Amino acid sequence: MVIDNQPLHSFTFMIHHHPSSMVVDVDSVVGCGVLVFGGSLGSHGSSCSNKGLFLPLKKNSIGGEWEWLSSSSWLPSPLRGAWTTSYFHNTYAQIFLSGGFDSVHPHNEILKLSLSQSNPTPTPTPTSISTITTTSWELVGKLPRQFSCHTHCVLGNTLCTFGGWDELECMDEIYATPLSAHSLQHGSDNCNDHDHDHDHDHDHIHNNHCKFSMPSLESSSILLGHLRDSRKNAGIAILSKDNEAYHSATNVLICGGWNGKQTLRTTEIVRLFETDGVDYACYCDVDEGPMMNTPRECSAICVLSNGDVYCMGGYNEDDCLLSTSEVLRKGSQTWEEGPNLPFSPRECYRCC
């Protein structure tokens, strides 16, 4: 992507869609678009952007032209290496962004941007920027430290982060950070753009079993536990949500990344627990996941509607960009070779 006549990379993006058009295959997307925020500018990433862009997508076509979002919806400061997730409702979407790096120092803010579609119709139609109404970014929480290159998901009224980079070392911490009241207007049943309600057959070792009471927004984040490997630029996939007698557990797959010494093949299954009547993460368990065939950092991961996990691109232990992919079938303990990407090898991108 080129912005202001300079290459843009390490940006963050989200898919905005009409709920009735939510599909896995982008070629079939109706009434939706791509939102892009921030990123590194120039071939060496010496500066960052805070601008926001929108690309309408149309059925069986690439879409229209990139359009600028209103400057009131741009990021408060230029950022790269932040992470986003989203919550979709019938007529609006909320985007949650955490951390990031502004070319000078990392950040710890958790920001929320609300979007709504003007005059939504029962039958989705191609979206344009004129039909999207946005607010300004709102501060809804703070991470316990300033870091970037992490992953996160929103569970209940809590944002859970995994690993990252604090400009000194790779991190293994799993933090739960409370969001301000009413950050999620209608709960979080549809939170996270890759959240699918599927079973996934993995055994779990209860080695990170930490409980806490819900603090106020002013309190610091809570350390839920630790990943088995320190890692930055890992991938994340929401596998399933299990409802049991006295609690529910959201199963999260963390894949690859870099531990400060090498690019990783390892994966981890993190189970985030909520107890009955409590709308936040209470504790977690961490277990080893299936070993990937190729070490990958900055890869793109998505979960299909059938529960299969695809991990694509990134770069390997020799810093070579990859055009390969691998697939973890639902219920399997072994990654399979997937199809090669139909475009040039790449890293630091996202897929859905």
Side-chain angles (χ1 to χ4, degrees), residues 19 102 127 148 152 176 181 184 202 274 290:
D102 65 7
T127 306
S148 61
H152 81 221
L184 294 175
H202 292 286
E274 300 169 88

Side-chain angles (χ1 to χ4, degrees), residues 61-168:
S61 69
I62 295 176
E65 299 292 328
W66 285 99
E67 306 170 49
W68 291 108
L69 289 175
S70 166
S71 59
S72 63
S73 300
W74 294 357
L75 296 172
S77 60
L79 284 177
R80 64 176 175 88
W83 194 263
T84 55
T85 193
S86 58
Y87 168 74
F88 293 106
H89 193 252
N90 289 336
T91 57
Y92 69 87
Q94 294 175 315
I95 297 174
F96 292 87
L97 179 147
S98 67
F101 184 75
D102 65 7
S103 296
V104 178
H105 57 77
H107 285 243
N108 70 335
E109 296 87 358
I110 301 173
L111 304 174
K112 181 189 75 173
L113 180 70
S114 297
L115 305 96
S116 61
Q117 187 165 358
S118 304
N119 302 317
T121 60
T123 303
T125 56
T127 306
S128 69
I129 195 62
S130 62
T131 68
I132 300 298
T133 301
T134 62
T135 62
S136 298
W137 288 93
E138 175 188 355
L139 180 66
V140 294
K142 288 192 175 182
L143 301 172
R145 298 161 58 185
Q146 296 174 326
F147 54 84
S148 61
C149 301
H150 57 293
T151 57
H152 81 221
C153 67
V154 176
L155 181 62
N157 214 33
T158 306
L159 184 138
C160 298
T161 60
F162 308 89
W165 172 254
D166 64 2
E167 303 309 309
L168 294 176

